[in-house]
Amino acid sequence: PFVFWNILSSIAWAILNVFLGYFSGSLVVRIFKNWSSGLSLIFIVITITVLFYWFIKKKDHSLKNSFRTGSLSFIEYLKNKNWFKKLISKYPFISLYIKESKNAAEKIFGSVLIFIFLISTYLLILILDVF
């Protein structure tokens, strides 16, 4: 009985593996045909994120210090723009917020980063046609 069941299970195992390989192989090909541009875009985004993280760590900075310096330089960049000066003249509470609020520069810079992240996520969903 052992030899009979052993031969039967080996035949079933071989057939199962062949069919799994065939169907999963055709599935992988279909995924790469339909989503090749989207997958390459995801790969590019992941690569840029890893390079950004590596660049910060290479300079022996922490992410917190890099965020703080980036946010202060972003606020200085905004203050030099004419449209931002017009915005501040029209809505003076913005300049009061920047001057008086603790960590205002970081809050504004973080909001811009979150907005960029949400827009890029939305574009990835559109490109990959997930929903």
Side-chain angles (χ1 to χ4, degrees):
F2 173 75
V3 174
F4 171 74
W5 289 111
N6 196 10
I7 291 173
L8 186 65
S9 66
S10 64
I11 291 171
W13 184 257
I15 291 172
L16 178 71
N17 280 326
V18 167
F19 280 117
L20 282 176
Y22 175 76
F23 289 119
S24 65
S26 63
L27 179 66
V28 169
V29 168
R30 190 175 318 148
I31 287 172
F32 277 110
K33 279 184 181 179
N34 292 339
W35 293 356
S36 63
S37 63
L39 290 174
S40 62
L41 186 62
I42 288 174
F43 178 72
I44 290 170
V45 168
I46 290 172
T47 304
I48 289 173
T49 305
V50 167
L51 287 175
F52 178 71
Y53 181 76
W54 174 76
F55 182 71
I56 288 174
K57 286 296 184 181
K58 183 180 175 187
K59 289 188 168 191
D60 292 329
H61 290 259
S62 68
L63 289 175
K64 185 176 181 180
N65 290 338
S66 298
F67 186 78
R68 184 174 291 131
T69 57
S71 61
L72 292 175
S73 63
F74 181 71
I75 291 297
E76 289 303 317
Y77 170 77
L78 285 179
K79 287 180 181 177
N80 293 328
K81 294 296 180 183
N82 287 333
W83 64 269
F84 192 71
K85 290 177 184 175
K86 289 178 185 176
L87 187 71
I88 286 177
S89 66
K90 189 172 183 180
Y91 303 105
F93 68 90
I94 296 173
S95 64
L96 290 174
Y97 176 75
I98 291 173
K99 291 176 187 174
E100 295 177 2
S101 178
K102 183 180 179 184
N103 301 329
E106 293 177 9
K107 291 176 184 176
I108 293 172
F109 186 63
S111 300
V112 170
L113 288 180
I114 289 172
F115 181 73
I116 290 171
F117 172 75
L118 290 175
I119 292 295
S120 60
T121 304
Y122 177 71
L123 289 175
L124 278 175
I125 288 172
L126 283 179
I127 289 170
L128 293 177
D129 195 26
V130 174
F131 298 109

